[in-house]
């Protein structure tokens, strides 16, 4: 008797469908050059430092880091379809990357990273239990002297993305949220607002915060 095939959970199905339906250039969040994340990350790490791009999707951040000699790089995403696209784009260079198809809120980290990057993923967590689970994984996966670059829609950014509601932040509300779940563990180093221009020319306001581990 054959075993039943498990259907993907609705969340994974949603993101796989988004990636199946649209080319990279048609994704509202697409960037040819992943700024400001790239500049913020490369200012804080050196080659050899493990970096993770959480919810990396088809982002070209991994390409840009490898181009500059950074890594090892891990890309984690719910959507195996998105990861397959990035692997195909990178060709043989994909073998240098660790690819993890997982829900960050359920993932069990196996190593620590010098830098945790997230652009436009945390803001989809509108349930406090999911935010707690995400931040628990971040705490487990971040090295003792690790840094976090976390980019979300700003307070005056869009209320939805890809058909889903989002939680919007400014750097202070974001770090207060993190402090509530991980008291005393991280502190805000710097932040910036920036406008992302979608492929259709719409402006989306983002905030990007850089946080670091607290040391007592
Ligand atoms: C708006 S896209 C941003 C992609 C990428 N960070 C970028 O800047 O191009 C959000 C990404 O988060 C992924 N995602 C959403 N919820 C997730 C979760 N709970 N765990 C892991 N990935 C998730 C989606 O599959 C999608 O690739």
């Amino acid at each position: 008797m054959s075993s039943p095939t498990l259907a993907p959970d609705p969340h994974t199905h949603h993101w796989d469908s988004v990636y199946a339906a649209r080319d990279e250039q048609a994704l509202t969040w697409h960037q040819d050059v992943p700024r400001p994340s790239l500049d913020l990350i490369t200012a804080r790490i050196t080659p050899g430092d493990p970096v993770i791009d959480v919810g990396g999707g088809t982002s070209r951040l991994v390409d840009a880091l490898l181009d500059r000699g950074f890594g090892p790089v891990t890309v984690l995403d719910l959507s195996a379809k998105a990861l397959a696209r990035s692997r195909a784009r990178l060709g043989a260079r994909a073998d240098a990357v660790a690819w993890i198809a997982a829900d960050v809120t359920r993932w069990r980290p196996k190593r620590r990273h010098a830098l945790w990057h997230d652009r436009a993923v945390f803001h989809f967590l509108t349930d406090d239990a999911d935010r707690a689970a995400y931040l628990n994984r971040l705490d487990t996966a971040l090295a003792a002297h690790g840094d976090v670059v976390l980019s979300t829609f700003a307070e005056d950014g869009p209320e939805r993305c890809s058909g889903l509601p989002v939680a919007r932040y400014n750097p202070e509300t974001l770090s207060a949220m993190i402090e509530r779940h991980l008291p005393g563990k991280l502190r805000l180093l710097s932040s910036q607002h920036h406008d992302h221009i979608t492929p259709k020319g719409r402006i989306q306001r983002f905030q990007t915060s850089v946080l670091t581990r607290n040391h007592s």
Side-chain angles (χ1 to χ4, degrees), residues 44 142-147 184-187 189 211-216:
R44 300 207 59 84
L142 191 67
H145 293 272
D147 296 324
K185 296 224 170 164
L186 293 170
R187 76 190 141 87
L189 282 182
L211 302 107
T212 194
R213 281 269 195 211
N214 265 330
H215 296 284
S216 47

Side-chain angles (χ1 to χ4, degrees), residues 8-200:
D9 74 86
H11 201 191
T12 305
H13 180 71
H14 170 83
W15 286 104
D16 274 345
S17 307
V18 168
Y19 284 108
R22 288 196 246 161
D23 287 338
E24 180 191 52
Q25 300 287 340
L27 299 169
T28 51
W29 54 90
H30 173 73
Q31 298 176 289
D32 284 334
V33 182
R35 294 214 151 85
S37 296
L38 180 61
D39 297 334
L40 294 168
I41 294 169
T42 55
R44 300 207 59 84
I45 57 167
T46 54
D49 288 341
V51 181
I52 183 162
D53 188 15
V54 172
T58 53
S59 168
R60 294 179 175 224
L61 178 66
V62 55
D63 316 40
L65 290 171
L66 296 178
D67 287 346
R68 289 159 179 77
F70 291 99
V73 182
T74 298
V75 182
L76 178 148
D77 202 282
L78 203 54
S79 170
K81 276 202 170 27
L83 297 182
R85 246 197 232 176
S86 284
R87 292 177 90 131
R89 186 183 68 238
L90 281 164
R93 292 203 301 164
D95 294 343
V97 177
W99 305 95
I100 301 176
D103 181 333
V104 62
T105 65
R106 299 178 187 192
W107 169 55
R108 289 171 188 261
K110 293 202 172 55
R111 68 182 302 184
R112 296 211 177 237
H113 301 83
L115 194 133
W116 172 289
H117 173 257
D118 167 344
R119 172 175 178 265
V121 186
F122 184 74
H123 67 200
F124 285 109
L125 304 178
T126 53
D127 181 311
D128 211 40
D130 289 337
R131 287 191 284 252
Y134 173 108
L135 290 166
N136 171 282
R137 270 65 184 178
L138 184 157
D139 188 33
T140 306
L142 191 67
H145 293 272
D147 296 324
V148 178
V149 175
L150 193 37
S151 207
T152 67
F153 282 156
E155 274 183 327
D156 51 355
E159 290 176 15
R160 301 178 73 81
C161 175
S162 191
L164 300 173
V166 300
R168 298 175 296 172
Y169 297 93
N170 64 39
E172 291 72 33
T173 57
L174 180 66
S175 54
M177 172 68 76
I178 293 170
E179 180 62 21
R180 189 155 69 75
H181 290 290
L182 295 178
K185 296 224 170 164
L186 293 170
R187 76 190 141 87
L188 182 64
L189 282 182
S190 66
S191 63
Q192 57 182 263
H193 281 88
H194 58 103
D195 290 342
H196 168 64
I197 313 294
T198 71
K200 286 192 174 159

